[in-house]
Amino acid sequence: MRAVVRQAVRDVRTAPPPRPADPPTDPTVAALRRVVDDLAASSHAIGELMLEVAPAYLSDSEAADVLALLCEQIGEPLEHGLAARRYAMSGDRRAPHGTVL
């Protein structure tokens, strides 16, 4: 049952945006874009983990109480964990701005 609910929640949430159709011609820009995309994917994965522990219906302050110990255990600042959680909920790359990306 838990797996079915987890999959349903994943299906409803917005996934990270797809890569642009036309990759940049400059190899340096293409390499940097891959790094940013990898960071975004990692942030989204961390955000999904945070959502498993502190579901989306909790406010940031309520989630902070629940996530403080998890963030401490994985070596992630609480602010970064909350930003990744917001990114996983919204799919908006601006959510972790200034923390992860």
XYZ file of all heavy atoms in Angstrom:
753
model
N 0.822 -1.187 0.000
C 0.000 0.000 0.000
C 0.872 1.258 0.000
O 0.583 2.192 -0.723
C -0.922 -0.036 1.220
C -1.840 1.126 1.276
S -2.923 1.104 -0.136
C -4.352 1.779 0.516
N 1.928 1.231 0.790
C 2.798 2.394 0.884
C 3.425 2.714 -0.477
O 3.517 3.869 -0.867
C 3.881 2.139 1.922
C 4.812 3.298 2.095
C 5.845 3.012 3.152
N 6.779 4.094 3.229
C 7.276 4.558 4.323
N 6.953 4.023 5.476
N 8.121 5.553 4.303
N 3.804 1.671 -1.206
C 4.404 1.883 -2.525
C 3.407 2.500 -3.497
O 3.766 3.356 -4.318
C 4.937 0.568 -3.073
N 2.144 2.107 -3.413
C 1.108 2.651 -4.292
C 0.887 4.128 -3.996
O 0.806 4.957 -4.910
C -0.209 1.855 -4.139
C -1.335 2.532 -4.888
C -0.029 0.430 -4.607
N 0.831 4.473 -2.723
C 0.653 5.874 -2.336
C 1.860 6.699 -2.755
O 1.724 7.798 -3.304
C 0.398 5.993 -0.813
C 0.428 7.441 -0.373
C -0.917 5.337 -0.451
N 3.055 6.174 -2.531
C 4.280 6.890 -2.912
C 4.286 7.154 -4.417
O 4.604 8.248 -4.862
C 5.505 6.087 -2.512
C 6.797 6.826 -2.810
C 8.024 6.054 -2.387
N 8.025 5.882 -0.958
C 8.442 4.785 -0.343
N 8.907 3.770 -1.036
N 8.411 4.688 0.956
N 3.920 6.150 -5.213
C 3.891 6.322 -6.667
C 2.830 7.335 -7.084
O 3.056 8.157 -7.963
C 3.648 4.983 -7.369
C 3.734 5.080 -8.874
C 5.096 5.556 -9.345
O 6.125 5.097 -8.871
N 5.104 6.499 -10.265
N 1.671 7.306 -6.440
C 0.617 8.270 -6.761
C 1.066 9.688 -6.456
O 0.827 10.617 -7.243
C -0.653 7.927 -5.990
N 1.726 9.874 -5.334
C 2.217 11.203 -4.965
C 3.268 11.651 -5.967
O 3.278 12.801 -6.409
C 2.775 11.199 -3.524
C 3.517 12.480 -3.221
C 1.654 10.983 -2.534
N 4.161 10.752 -6.365
C 5.184 11.083 -7.358
C 4.551 11.481 -8.688
O 5.034 12.370 -9.369
C 6.098 9.884 -7.575
C 7.456 10.142 -7.082
C 8.441 9.086 -7.446
N 9.332 9.014 -6.308
C 9.685 7.941 -5.690
N 9.289 6.779 -6.112
N 10.467 7.994 -4.649
N 3.496 10.786 -9.065
C 2.825 11.087 -10.332
C 2.177 12.464 -10.307
O 2.104 13.141 -11.337
C 1.768 10.027 -10.654
C 2.377 8.679 -10.995
O 3.601 8.625 -11.253
O 1.641 7.680 -10.987
N 1.697 12.878 -9.143
C 1.023 14.169 -9.026
C 2.025 15.317 -8.990
O 1.797 16.375 -9.565
C 0.125 14.196 -7.765
C -0.395 15.580 -7.486
C -1.015 13.213 -7.924
N 3.143 15.110 -8.317
C 4.140 16.166 -8.190
C 4.759 16.501 -9.527
O 4.850 15.684 -10.424
C 5.258 15.725 -7.254
C 4.904 15.938 -5.849
C 6.164 15.824 -5.007
N 5.753 15.258 -3.767
C 6.149 14.105 -3.281
N 7.027 13.387 -3.893
N 5.693 13.664 -2.143
N 5.232 17.706 -9.622
C 5.902 18.145 -10.823
C 7.348 17.669 -10.801
O 8.073 17.928 -9.853
C 5.887 19.686 -10.900
O 4.545 20.123 -10.785
C 6.493 20.184 -12.175
N 7.741 16.984 -11.847
C 9.125 16.529 -11.983
C 9.993 17.695 -12.442
O 9.482 18.697 -12.942
C 9.204 15.384 -12.979
N 11.312 17.572 -12.296
C 12.185 18.647 -12.779
C 11.938 18.888 -14.275
O 11.613 17.958 -15.002
C 13.596 18.104 -12.543
C 13.439 17.065 -11.501
C 12.060 16.502 -11.677
N 12.092 20.119 -14.713
C 11.821 20.420 -16.119
C 12.760 19.656 -17.047
O 13.910 19.381 -16.680
C 12.058 21.926 -16.215
C 12.838 22.295 -15.024
C 12.566 21.263 -13.970
N 12.283 19.306 -18.231
C 13.142 18.576 -19.170
C 14.259 19.471 -19.680
O 14.160 20.705 -19.650
C 12.193 18.184 -20.294
C 11.088 19.180 -20.225
C 10.969 19.560 -18.771
N 15.288 18.850 -20.193
C 16.394 19.611 -20.764
C 15.924 20.299 -22.038
O 15.028 19.804 -22.712
C 17.557 18.682 -21.072
C 18.169 18.123 -19.817
C 19.343 17.275 -20.141
N 19.908 16.784 -18.884
C 21.036 16.140 -18.797
N 21.727 15.877 -19.876
N 21.479 15.739 -17.642
N 16.565 21.398 -22.398
C 16.184 22.086 -23.627
C 16.378 21.178 -24.848
O 17.277 20.335 -24.863
C 17.118 23.286 -23.694
C 17.800 23.367 -22.386
C 17.617 22.077 -21.678
N 15.542 21.373 -25.854
C 15.611 20.546 -27.056
C 16.915 20.769 -27.817
O 17.488 19.831 -28.363
C 14.424 20.845 -27.954
N 17.376 22.002 -27.864
C 18.606 22.323 -28.588
C 19.748 22.536 -27.591
O 19.807 23.566 -26.921
C 18.428 23.591 -29.422
C 17.362 23.432 -30.487
O 17.237 22.320 -31.021
O 16.665 24.427 -30.758
N 20.668 21.562 -27.488
C 21.786 21.756 -26.563
C 22.698 22.873 -27.061
O 22.772 23.135 -28.259
C 22.495 20.406 -26.571
C 22.065 19.732 -27.825
C 20.736 20.300 -28.195
N 23.383 23.541 -26.134
C 24.276 24.630 -26.546
C 25.428 24.085 -27.389
O 25.881 22.955 -27.201
C 24.782 25.211 -25.228
C 24.445 24.226 -24.186
C 23.367 23.345 -24.704
N 25.895 24.902 -28.316
C 26.990 24.477 -29.192
C 28.343 24.623 -28.512
O 29.274 23.901 -28.853
C 26.973 25.289 -30.493
O 27.030 26.681 -30.177
C 25.719 24.995 -31.302
N 28.462 25.528 -27.580
C 29.726 25.716 -26.853
C 29.889 24.574 -25.859
O 29.037 24.359 -24.986
C 29.688 27.063 -26.124
C 30.977 27.387 -25.400
O 31.896 26.544 -25.388
O 31.065 28.500 -24.846
N 30.993 23.796 -25.949
C 31.167 22.653 -25.045
C 31.255 23.044 -23.572
O 30.814 22.299 -22.698
C 32.464 21.986 -25.516
C 33.051 22.861 -26.547
C 32.072 23.914 -26.910
N 31.787 24.222 -23.278
C 31.877 24.667 -21.890
C 30.494 24.932 -21.324
O 30.171 24.516 -20.207
C 32.745 25.939 -21.779
O 34.024 25.678 -22.355
C 32.894 26.384 -20.349
N 29.661 25.586 -22.095
C 28.291 25.867 -21.660
C 27.516 24.561 -21.514
O 26.756 24.376 -20.558
C 27.585 26.832 -22.638
C 26.113 26.989 -22.290
C 28.283 28.179 -22.648
N 27.711 23.630 -22.440
C 27.028 22.330 -22.364
C 27.448 21.577 -21.103
O 26.600 20.979 -20.416
C 27.333 21.499 -23.604
N 28.735 21.616 -20.766
C 29.219 20.933 -19.559
C 28.641 21.577 -18.307
O 28.222 20.874 -17.377
C 30.742 20.956 -19.516
N 28.591 22.900 -18.271
C 28.024 23.596 -17.111
C 26.536 23.307 -16.976
O 26.027 23.131 -15.872
C 28.273 25.101 -17.214
C 29.714 25.543 -16.993
C 29.870 27.028 -17.288
C 30.163 25.231 -15.582
N 25.832 23.235 -18.102
C 24.405 22.931 -18.053
C 24.182 21.529 -17.479
O 23.257 21.313 -16.698
C 23.779 23.035 -19.435
C 22.285 22.734 -19.376
C 21.567 23.130 -20.609
N 21.451 24.581 -20.634
C 21.110 25.259 -21.714
N 20.863 24.657 -22.841
N 21.018 26.565 -21.661
N 25.040 20.563 -17.851
C 24.918 19.209 -17.298
C 25.135 19.209 -15.792
O 24.435 18.518 -15.051
C 25.900 18.254 -17.976
C 25.453 17.784 -19.351
C 26.319 16.656 -19.870
N 27.719 17.008 -20.000
C 28.263 17.622 -21.049
N 27.505 17.957 -22.066
N 29.556 17.899 -21.077
N 26.098 20.000 -15.323
C 26.364 20.082 -13.884
C 25.151 20.665 -13.157
O 24.719 20.129 -12.128
C 27.630 20.933 -13.606
C 27.757 21.266 -12.138
C 28.874 20.215 -14.095
N 24.581 21.731 -13.698
C 23.403 22.348 -13.075
C 22.230 21.372 -13.090
O 21.504 21.249 -12.103
C 23.045 23.680 -13.776
C 21.694 24.189 -13.319
C 24.128 24.712 -13.522
N 22.046 20.661 -14.198
C 20.962 19.676 -14.280
C 21.162 18.549 -13.265
O 20.205 18.079 -12.649
C 20.847 19.095 -15.693
C 20.290 20.096 -16.693
O 19.683 21.108 -16.261
O 20.459 19.865 -17.906
N 22.417 18.110 -13.084
C 22.706 17.074 -12.080
C 22.414 17.576 -10.673
O 21.856 16.847 -9.840
C 24.154 16.600 -12.174
C 24.424 15.759 -13.412
O 23.454 15.284 -14.048
O 25.620 15.571 -13.742
N 22.783 18.824 -10.389
C 22.489 19.407 -9.075
C 20.984 19.511 -8.848
O 20.490 19.218 -7.759
C 23.124 20.794 -8.940
C 24.611 20.837 -8.657
C 25.130 22.269 -8.766
C 24.908 20.272 -7.291
N 20.255 19.898 -9.888
C 18.802 20.004 -9.768
C 18.182 18.633 -9.516
O 17.287 18.494 -8.677
C 18.213 20.637 -11.028
N 18.671 17.617 -10.213
C 18.142 16.261 -10.014
C 18.440 15.768 -8.599
O 17.593 15.140 -7.957
C 18.724 15.309 -11.052
N 19.632 16.068 -8.094
C 19.985 15.679 -6.729
C 19.121 16.402 -5.710
O 18.650 15.797 -4.740
C 21.463 15.988 -6.449
O 22.295 15.234 -7.280
N 18.899 17.686 -5.939
C 18.042 18.467 -5.037
C 16.626 17.918 -5.035
O 15.985 17.838 -3.986
C 18.011 19.935 -5.449
O 19.262 20.506 -5.269
N 16.144 17.532 -6.200
C 14.790 16.980 -6.299
C 14.704 15.662 -5.541
O 13.733 15.406 -4.824
C 14.399 16.804 -7.766
C 12.941 16.605 -7.963
N 12.362 15.367 -7.976
C 11.933 17.496 -8.129
C 11.063 15.495 -8.162
N 10.779 16.777 -8.253
N 15.728 14.812 -5.674
C 15.743 13.528 -4.959
C 15.784 13.743 -3.445
O 15.067 13.067 -2.688
C 16.923 12.684 -5.410
N 16.595 14.692 -2.992
C 16.644 15.005 -1.561
C 15.296 15.556 -1.108
O 14.798 15.217 -0.030
C 17.787 15.996 -1.254
C 19.133 15.295 -1.434
C 17.666 16.556 0.161
C 20.326 16.218 -1.362
N 14.684 16.383 -1.946
C 13.372 16.930 -1.618
C 12.313 15.851 -1.486
O 11.456 15.915 -0.597
N 12.374 14.839 -2.342
C 11.423 13.732 -2.223
C 11.628 12.975 -0.914
O 10.663 12.559 -0.275
C 11.550 12.784 -3.413
C 10.956 13.351 -4.677
C 10.995 12.374 -5.835
O 11.846 11.464 -5.844
O 10.155 12.525 -6.734
N 12.880 12.800 -0.516
C 13.170 12.169 0.773
C 12.587 13.004 1.912
O 11.952 12.472 2.825
C 14.684 12.003 0.962
C 15.152 11.531 2.334
C 14.686 10.099 2.586
C 16.652 11.638 2.438
N 12.771 14.314 1.831
C 12.238 15.207 2.860
C 10.709 15.116 2.910
O 10.111 15.154 3.985
C 12.661 16.654 2.602
C 14.136 16.902 2.637
S 14.829 16.613 4.264
C 16.545 16.411 3.873
N 10.074 14.983 1.742
C 8.611 14.884 1.701
C 8.107 13.569 2.281
O 6.990 13.502 2.778
C 8.111 15.050 0.263
C 8.068 16.486 -0.227
C 7.800 16.519 -1.723
C 7.030 17.290 0.521
N 8.905 12.523 2.204
C 8.495 11.265 2.825
C 8.450 11.404 4.337
O 7.613 10.803 5.005
C 9.450 10.137 2.431
C 9.241 9.646 1.024
C 10.064 8.424 0.710
O 10.381 7.648 1.632
O 10.384 8.239 -0.466
N 9.350 12.212 4.878
C 9.415 12.398 6.321
C 8.450 13.498 6.773
O 7.788 13.358 7.803
C 10.865 12.737 6.751
C 10.945 13.037 8.236
C 11.803 11.593 6.384
N 8.386 14.579 6.018
C 7.512 15.714 6.341
C 6.625 15.990 5.128
O 7.026 16.709 4.216
C 8.342 16.944 6.689
N 5.426 15.400 5.083
C 4.545 15.540 3.915
C 4.224 16.995 3.580
O 4.380 17.901 4.403
C 3.278 14.791 4.338
C 3.703 13.893 5.445
C 4.832 14.579 6.134
N 3.751 17.191 2.369
C 3.512 18.532 1.832
C 2.465 19.322 2.599
O 2.456 20.546 2.544
C 3.118 18.429 0.362
N 1.584 18.645 3.324
C 0.544 19.390 4.046
C 1.101 20.112 5.269
O 0.425 20.963 5.842
C -0.622 18.476 4.454
C -0.262 17.368 5.415
C -0.187 17.601 6.774
C -0.017 16.079 4.943
C 0.138 16.591 7.651
C 0.307 15.058 5.816
C 0.383 15.317 7.170
O 0.712 14.321 8.035
N 2.333 19.811 5.670
C 2.952 20.516 6.797
C 3.537 21.842 6.321
O 4.095 21.933 5.236
C 4.074 19.671 7.405
C 3.676 18.358 8.065
C 4.919 17.616 8.539
C 2.731 18.591 9.221
N 3.410 22.860 7.150
C 4.039 24.145 6.838
C 5.551 24.002 6.992
O 6.038 23.009 7.538
C 3.520 25.228 7.782
O 4.000 24.983 9.103
N 6.299 24.995 6.522
C 7.754 24.949 6.662
C 8.177 24.879 8.129
O 9.107 24.166 8.471
C 8.402 26.162 6.002
C 8.774 25.910 4.553
O 8.472 24.814 4.035
O 9.363 26.813 3.935
N 7.491 25.620 8.997
C 7.883 25.602 10.412
C 7.576 24.248 11.051
O 8.360 23.748 11.857
C 7.217 26.740 11.185
O 5.817 26.619 11.130
N 6.445 23.642 10.682
C 6.127 22.304 11.195
C 7.097 21.270 10.624
O 7.553 20.375 11.334
C 4.694 21.914 10.834
C 3.639 22.733 11.532
C 2.250 22.493 10.965
O 2.115 22.279 9.753
O 1.293 22.523 11.780
N 7.429 21.408 9.340
C 8.366 20.483 8.704
C 9.759 20.623 9.309
O 10.479 19.636 9.453
C 8.413 20.730 7.206
N 10.136 21.838 9.675
C 11.460 22.060 10.272
C 11.614 21.266 11.561
O 12.681 20.702 11.818
C 11.671 23.553 10.530
N 10.550 21.208 12.350
C 10.605 20.433 13.594
C 10.846 18.952 13.305
O 11.592 18.284 14.004
C 9.304 20.591 14.389
C 9.095 22.005 14.895
O 10.091 22.751 15.002
O 7.930 22.361 15.166
N 10.205 18.454 12.255
C 10.305 17.037 11.907
C 11.626 16.729 11.214
O 12.234 15.677 11.437
C 9.114 16.638 10.994
C 9.229 15.212 10.532
C 7.792 16.867 11.711
N 12.113 17.651 10.381
C 13.287 17.391 9.544
C 14.622 17.727 10.191
O 15.670 17.351 9.664
C 13.163 18.173 8.234
C 12.036 17.742 7.307
C 11.959 18.686 6.119
C 12.242 16.313 6.857
N 14.603 18.408 11.302
C 15.861 18.832 11.929
C 16.792 17.654 12.189
O 17.983 17.706 11.845
C 15.577 19.591 13.222
N 16.284 16.591 12.746
C 17.123 15.432 13.061
C 17.613 14.746 11.783
O 18.784 14.385 11.677
C 16.364 14.439 13.937
C 17.140 13.193 14.348
C 18.387 13.568 15.144
C 16.251 12.270 15.168
N 16.746 14.582 10.794
C 17.144 13.954 9.535
C 18.251 14.751 8.857
O 19.256 14.187 8.422
C 15.954 13.808 8.591
C 16.270 13.320 7.178
C 16.867 11.920 7.206
C 15.038 13.367 6.305
N 18.077 16.056 8.782
C 19.084 16.899 8.149
C 20.418 16.811 8.889
O 21.484 16.756 8.264
C 18.607 18.348 8.068
S 17.310 18.586 6.839
N 20.349 16.770 10.190
C 21.577 16.639 10.983
C 22.263 15.307 10.687
O 23.480 15.245 10.526
C 21.256 16.745 12.473
C 22.474 16.673 13.366
C 22.098 16.786 14.834
O 21.197 17.567 15.167
O 22.723 16.061 15.635
N 21.487 14.243 10.586
C 22.053 12.908 10.346
C 22.678 12.769 8.966
O 23.657 12.049 8.812
C 20.994 11.831 10.555
C 20.616 11.634 11.992
C 19.523 10.594 12.170
O 18.824 10.234 11.235
N 19.377 10.109 13.395
N 22.112 13.431 7.961
C 22.674 13.302 6.615
C 23.664 14.424 6.294
O 24.218 14.468 5.200
C 21.578 13.221 5.532
C 20.769 14.509 5.446
C 20.684 12.020 5.751
C 19.801 14.556 4.275
N 23.887 15.327 7.240
C 24.868 16.389 7.051
C 24.396 17.505 6.131
O 25.203 18.173 5.498
N 23.105 17.709 6.080
C 22.518 18.753 5.231
C 21.965 19.844 6.136
O 21.243 19.555 7.084
C 21.393 18.136 4.402
C 20.808 19.038 3.360
C 21.697 19.179 2.139
O 22.556 18.330 1.904
O 21.524 20.178 1.441
N 22.297 21.108 5.877
C 21.694 22.176 6.678
C 20.170 22.147 6.541
O 19.641 21.840 5.459
C 22.265 23.462 6.078
C 23.506 23.031 5.363
C 23.249 21.636 4.898
N 19.480 22.440 7.605
C 18.021 22.408 7.603
C 17.444 23.318 6.521
O 16.496 22.943 5.833
C 17.471 22.808 8.977
C 15.953 22.839 9.113
C 15.354 21.462 8.809
C 15.566 23.289 10.510
N 18.034 24.486 6.338
C 17.551 25.412 5.311
C 17.605 24.773 3.924
O 16.703 24.923 3.112
C 18.397 26.686 5.339
C 17.981 27.715 4.317
C 18.876 28.939 4.354
O 19.225 29.388 5.455
O 19.212 29.429 3.272
N 18.676 24.014 3.644
C 18.804 23.336 2.356
C 17.760 22.222 2.219
O 17.192 22.032 1.142
C 20.203 22.744 2.188
C 21.271 23.774 2.068
N 22.544 23.470 1.668
C 21.281 25.109 2.318
C 23.287 24.561 1.653
N 22.535 25.564 2.053
N 17.517 21.498 3.298
C 16.522 20.436 3.273
C 15.126 20.976 3.005
O 14.364 20.400 2.230
N 14.800 22.093 3.637
C 13.489 22.710 3.417
C 13.366 23.249 1.990
O 12.311 23.127 1.362
C 13.243 23.821 4.433
C 13.029 23.367 5.876
C 13.047 24.562 6.819
C 11.734 22.581 6.007
N 14.447 23.820 1.470
C 14.421 24.326 0.092
C 14.259 23.183 -0.898
O 13.502 23.293 -1.868
C 15.692 25.116 -0.198
N 14.955 22.074 -0.657
C 14.813 20.907 -1.533
C 13.394 20.349 -1.457
O 12.827 19.912 -2.464
C 15.834 19.834 -1.149
N 12.802 20.381 -0.282
C 11.410 19.930 -0.102
C 10.464 20.798 -0.926
O 9.580 20.302 -1.614
C 11.061 19.988 1.388
C 9.648 19.591 1.743
C 9.490 19.635 3.277
N 8.115 19.435 3.664
C 7.244 20.422 3.876
N 7.615 21.679 3.757
N 6.011 20.143 4.237
N 10.676 22.122 -0.876
C 9.844 23.031 -1.671
C 10.040 22.784 -3.169
O 9.097 22.838 -3.951
C 10.165 24.489 -1.328
C 9.616 24.929 0.016
C 9.768 26.429 0.216
N 11.150 26.874 0.238
C 11.915 26.905 1.332
N 11.423 26.529 2.500
N 13.159 27.319 1.262
N 11.270 22.496 -3.565
C 11.565 22.218 -4.978
C 10.863 20.938 -5.425
O 10.296 20.878 -6.523
C 13.071 22.116 -5.185
C 13.479 21.749 -6.592
C 12.900 22.360 -7.699
C 14.457 20.796 -6.817
C 13.284 22.033 -8.986
C 14.844 20.468 -8.093
C 14.260 21.090 -9.179
O 14.639 20.754 -10.452
N 10.868 19.913 -4.587
C 10.194 18.660 -4.938
C 8.684 18.864 -5.047
O 8.030 18.221 -5.864
C 10.510 17.577 -3.912
N 8.134 19.762 -4.246
C 6.692 20.026 -4.315
C 6.329 20.836 -5.550
O 5.309 20.584 -6.182
C 6.218 20.785 -3.064
C 6.099 19.925 -1.856
S 5.301 20.757 -0.469
C 6.509 21.970 0.021
N 7.159 21.806 -5.904
C 6.787 22.742 -6.964
C 7.442 22.454 -8.312
O 6.891 22.800 -9.344
C 7.151 24.168 -6.544
O 8.567 24.307 -6.490
N 8.632 21.867 -8.293
C 9.372 21.680 -9.538
C 10.002 22.970 -10.035
O 10.586 23.018 -11.106
N 9.910 24.023 -9.245
C 10.434 25.333 -9.622
C 11.889 25.427 -9.179
O 12.192 25.359 -7.990
C 9.594 26.420 -8.954
C 9.954 27.818 -9.396
O 11.009 27.991 -10.051
O 9.184 28.733 -9.093
N 12.785 25.585 -10.137
C 14.218 25.632 -9.818
C 14.612 26.850 -8.991
O 15.727 26.922 -8.493
C 15.052 25.598 -11.095
C 15.116 24.229 -11.700
C 16.175 24.167 -12.751
N 16.288 22.823 -13.253
C 17.237 22.434 -14.069
N 18.143 23.298 -14.481
N 17.285 21.194 -14.492
N 13.721 27.788 -8.827
C 14.029 28.948 -7.979
C 13.918 28.603 -6.496
O 14.443 29.324 -5.655
C 13.099 30.104 -8.308
C 13.319 30.663 -9.720
C 12.289 31.677 -10.074
N 10.981 31.025 -10.100
C 9.854 31.635 -10.380
N 9.844 32.923 -10.651
N 8.708 30.968 -10.405
N 13.229 27.513 -6.159
C 13.023 27.145 -4.748
C 14.337 26.960 -3.997
O 14.489 27.471 -2.895
C 12.146 25.909 -4.644
N 15.321 26.227 -4.543
C 16.576 26.073 -3.795
C 17.600 27.175 -4.068
O 18.742 27.063 -3.643
C 17.097 24.715 -4.274
C 16.546 24.545 -5.637
C 15.215 25.260 -5.634
N 17.201 28.240 -4.765
C 18.140 29.315 -5.102
C 18.824 29.862 -3.848
O 18.172 30.185 -2.866
C 17.416 30.453 -5.825
C 18.318 31.575 -6.195
N 19.256 31.472 -7.196
C 18.457 32.821 -5.682
C 19.915 32.610 -7.285
N 19.450 33.445 -6.373
N 20.114 29.936 -3.898
C 20.879 30.457 -2.778
C 21.240 29.406 -1.746
O 21.984 29.681 -0.821
N 20.726 28.196 -1.885
C 21.072 27.150 -0.942
C 21.820 26.018 -1.627
O 22.898 25.651 -1.230
C 19.825 26.561 -0.249
O 18.950 26.035 -1.242
C 19.110 27.611 0.557
N 21.229 25.473 -2.681
C 21.832 24.325 -3.349
C 22.315 24.705 -4.737
O 23.424 24.393 -5.138
C 20.820 23.167 -3.447
C 21.439 21.955 -4.112
C 20.308 22.792 -2.065
N 21.474 25.382 -5.496
C 21.839 25.757 -6.860
C 22.254 27.204 -6.924
O 21.804 28.031 -6.229
C 20.653 25.539 -7.811
C 20.209 24.113 -7.968
C 18.983 24.052 -8.882
C 21.305 23.268 -8.557
